[in-house]
Amino acid sequence: MIAYVLPPLPAPVVAEAHTVYTVASGDLRLGANVTCWPTQERLEADLSTAVTTLGWSVRRGHPMDSVKGHGFIDSQRAGIEVFKTLPGDAPLIVVEAVWQYSHHVLAGLRSHSGPILLVANWSGEFPGLVGLLNLTASLTKAGIRHSVLWSEDFTDAWARDGLATWLETGELHHDLSHVHDLPTLPDGPEVELGRALASQLQRDKAIIGIFDEGCMGMYNAIFDDELLNPLGIYKERLSQSALVAEMATVTPDEAQGVRDWLDRAGMTFHTGTEEATELTDAQLLSQFRMYIAALRIADDFGLDAVGIQYQQGLKDTVPASDLAEGLLNDVERPPVHSRDGARELYAGLALPHFNEVDEGVAVDSLVTNRIWTAMGLDPATTLHDIRWGAPFDGDFVWVMEISGSVPAAHNGGYDKSYSMRQPPMFFPLGGGTLSGVSRPGEIVWSRVFLMDGRLHVDIGRGTVVKLPPEETQRRLDATTPQWPIMHAVLHGVSRDQLMARHKANHLNVVYAPDAHTADKAALVKAALFEALGVQVHLCGDVTL
């Protein structure tokens, strides 16, 4: 008889009575984890006080690593090992005061059978709210039941009551009355246009270029081909190494030509000479090489949109991709010619770029570009992180910030835009942003996401408001002052409703010249997605 070697199967870990277990997913980058650790410690202390006040004990699921200088789960393997030591049926809270990589804890959360709560601190200091939104989106895609909660310090009655409810029942439900399924659409030119654009997309097809899939553990941002192809959208899988190789073929004069164009357009570059902490001319020229290289590769493959992963694949190779990304999303941008100089590439057009290869953004920005172009509107589009927000003058004004760039059109032009060095803890090789304060105006916001195995889209309306300079600066100082900022008021959607519903850290925004036109454009977008078979939801006050 053959003696097989059977793997040891340890006995299940038994949960302690009336005890909540906690874990903290973090960044992969050591510098970010060390810098953010004190803020994480404060949040965990505040949460522990709230839990113990409610009569429960708290047990942290993994120790602080004194050698590394932080207590985050900082890799997928680390997460798997941590969850091996936890009771699978215990109440579990994932505590986030920072940007985190969802795949660090996804494997453990998939097999966890006990109630799961995600919590974040209501603060703009580090992107903890952004991390929570990415994790809830990833768990929603994976079909993992969970609840979410947020608070400045867990002393407020709303958060304490929510925490008590979850501890007692294992679930926490929020008000989602702002979400409405799409009604029967009226006949009219906007619906006709949306359906015609959907038919064109499915007939003629579109290609999105993916420079390495899966940025920073964003499981929610990877869409299977089987879901995209019925829309008429196909992936061209590309390597970031090919992008770097193409950058090497761009001449110094070509790169300098982009800088000269931006200087003439009035853009401000805050430069210095210290590579480790300042934006330098050499970093900028590398970024302009990337801009040219991306357009040439896009032309080679006939791409309709493009996404560059950057983190982590390029962070130790070349300066940040963000400046190139902001330029690509604008109709007005430095001209780029084919390698032989015979053709201007994508002349007079934006090439939609989806930051961090977020494929939900890819779908949205692609169709938005076509809708706005067909309506004779400026199609410059971008995504923003839902970073934070606070009341101002009777409105709740969101801080929308993306990590590095928006199209200059959103700031009111290149003469109202500037470039600063990216924060060293995230971008060791630097590179400049394409930053500014988004101009006042009407916007349509939306998000394509995965839930219950199919594509959904939330569509809403909003207004970008102008705040006093001192309030803008306060908000920049409270978040990441190098990054572009948008002051957004969302129509008919409260702070807690957006946080409870939104299934992504990113939100797509595009301007319209006035409220009436924005409503019409939202109707076209709803009709297009409905015709493509995407489940459409209207959020807040949307007039169709």
Side-chain angles (χ1 to χ4, degrees):
M1 181 176 179
I2 300 174
Y4 295 111
V5 179
L6 300 179
L9 298 176
V13 180
V14 178
E16 298 176 23
H18 231 56
T19 298
V20 172
Y21 292 75
T22 66
V23 297
S25 178
D27 209 298
L28 178 67
R29 296 162 290 199
L30 179 62
N33 283 333
V34 171
T35 300
C36 300
W37 177 240
T39 299
Q40 177 73 22
E41 284 189 302
R42 287 196 298 273
L43 171 61
E44 292 192 22
D46 291 340
L47 178 68
S48 293
T49 298
V51 172
T52 55
T53 299
L54 293 169
W56 287 66
S57 298
V58 179
R59 180 174 292 279
R60 198 170 199 273
H62 49 106
M64 186 269 190
D65 189 325
S66 59
V67 175
K68 290 182 177 179
H70 68 82
F72 292 109
I73 296 172
D74 57 3
S75 71
Q76 185 168 219
R77 170 52 61 188
I80 289 172
E81 296 304 317
V82 165
F83 273 86
K84 288 180 182 179
T85 69
L86 300 180
D89 59 350
L92 179 70
I93 303 180
V94 186
V95 189
E96 297 301 339
V98 301
W99 169 245
Q100 59 80 42
Y101 288 22
S102 293
H103 80 300
H104 289 174
V105 291
L106 182 61
L109 293 174
R110 274 193 188 274
S111 55
H112 192 80
S113 60
I116 298 168
L117 177 67
L118 315 181
V119 304
N121 57 334
W122 190 265
S123 168
E125 182 185 13
F126 298 119
L129 295 168
V130 182
L132 178 145
L133 287 170
N134 184 264
L135 185 53
T136 187
S138 295
L139 298 188
T140 297
K141 175 188 173 183
I144 301 170
R145 290 179 64 85
H146 65 284
S147 304
V148 292
L149 187 62
W150 46 91
S151 174
E152 288 189 12
D153 56 11
F154 286 91
T155 60
D156 58 289
W158 180 83
R160 287 287 181 99
D161 290 346
L163 189 58
T165 297
W166 182 79
L167 289 169
E168 293 166 6
T169 68
E171 292 187 331
L172 178 60
H173 301 285
H174 297 284
D175 174 21
L176 298 179
S177 59
H178 69 293
V179 182
H180 310 282
D181 289 337
L182 188 68
T184 301
L185 295 178
D187 292 332
E190 288 76 33
V191 173
E192 182 182 19
L193 174 59
R195 291 170 178 168
L197 289 170
S199 295
Q200 179 193 44
L201 178 58
Q202 290 178 314
R203 182 191 68 233
D204 296 344
K205 313 293 188 289
I207 303 173
I208 57 174
I210 308 289
F211 280 104
D212 290 341
E213 205 161 37
C215 178
M216 296 188 290
M218 292 165 53
Y219 173 72
N220 69 301
I222 302 171
F223 285 25
D224 289 344
D225 297 62
E226 286 73 18
L227 294 172
L228 293 178
N229 293 170
L231 311 183
I233 298 175
Y234 291 77
K235 296 182 187 180
E236 189 73 57
R237 290 176 169 85
L238 303 164
S239 171
Q240 292 191 108
S241 61
L243 182 62
V244 175
E246 184 66 32
M247 288 170 62
T249 71
V250 177
T251 69
D253 286 346
E254 289 174 319
Q256 185 62 46
V258 175
R259 173 66 185 272
D260 293 343
W261 189 97
L262 293 170
D263 285 340
R264 289 193 299 271
M267 187 168 169
T268 300
F269 295 92
H270 296 279
T271 57
T273 58
E274 179 53 56
E275 290 286 345
T277 58
E278 297 179 309
L279 177 62
T280 66
D281 290 335
Q283 293 169 22
L284 288 166
L285 290 178
S286 175
Q287 292 181 289
F288 299 144
R289 287 188 174 94
M290 182 182 290
Y291 167 65
I292 294 169
L295 280 162
R296 286 176 175 166
I297 293 175
D299 179 64
D300 289 342
F301 288 92
L303 304 182
D304 297 282
V306 64
I308 301 170
Q309 181 203 80
Y310 191 75
Q311 301 280 4
Q312 291 291 325
L314 292 185
K315 82 172 190 337
D316 299 312
T317 306
V318 294
S321 58
D322 300 272
L323 180 50
E325 296 167 4
L327 296 175
L328 292 171
N329 273 323
D330 213 320
V331 171
E332 184 182 357
R333 53 180 178 76
V336 173
H337 291 83
S338 56
R339 297 177 187 87
D340 61 7
R343 295 177 296 115
E344 182 180 347
L345 306 181
Y346 297 87
L349 301 173
L351 176 61
H353 180 279
F354 41 105
N355 182 273
E356 298 167 353
V357 286
D358 185 335
E359 293 166 20
V361 174
V363 174
D364 205 340
S365 61
L366 176 70
V367 302
T368 296
N369 178 276
R370 295 185 176 200
I371 292 168
W372 263 246
T373 299
M375 295 180 69
L377 307 175
D378 181 358
T381 185
T382 193
L383 58 84
H384 277 287
D385 280 331
I386 300 172
R387 180 65 180 265
W388 174 63
F392 187 85
D393 198 22
D395 289 317
F396 188 85
V397 183
W398 287 96
V399 173
M400 304 294 185
E401 279 184 354
I402 189 56
S403 57
S405 71
V406 295
H410 283 204
N411 302 328
Y414 288 98
D415 60 331
K416 297 178 179 62
S417 302
Y418 54 86
S419 185
M420 301 178 71
R421 192 203 191 278
Q422 287 279 22
M425 75 169 178
F426 294 133
F427 299 88
L429 297 185
T433 61
L434 205 169
S435 294
V437 180
S438 292
R439 62 180 175 82
E442 298 299 312
I443 57 170
V444 178
W445 64 266
S446 50
R447 174 66 206 188
V448 178
F449 61 98
L450 289 167
M451 183 169 65
D452 300 326
R454 64 173 298 185
L455 292 174
H456 295 250
V457 62
D458 284 352
I459 300 174
R461 284 271 289 105
T463 301
V464 180
V465 298
K466 183 177 181 179
L467 298 183
E470 59 273 17
E471 177 64 12
T472 295
Q473 192 60 52
R474 184 187 77 84
R475 289 168 178 248
L476 285 168
D477 292 341
T479 53
T480 307
Q482 298 92 334
W483 291 349
I485 188 170
M486 172 179 280
H487 305 309
V489 176
L490 304 186
H491 298 175
V493 183
S494 71
R495 182 197 83 163
D496 295 333
Q497 285 176 327
L498 184 69
M499 288 297 300
R501 167 64 180 182
H502 205 67
K503 303 304 179 187
N505 48 304
H506 293 147
L507 176 143
N508 276 58
V509 292
V510 61
Y511 279 89
D514 53 64
H516 182 64
T517 306
D519 290 339
K520 287 181 175 294
L523 175 55
V524 177
K525 178 173 277 196
L528 182 149
F529 276 120
E530 182 188 48
L532 292 176
V534 177
Q535 183 69 46
V536 180
H537 312 275
L538 303 179
C539 294
D541 300 333
V542 183
T543 303
L544 298 183

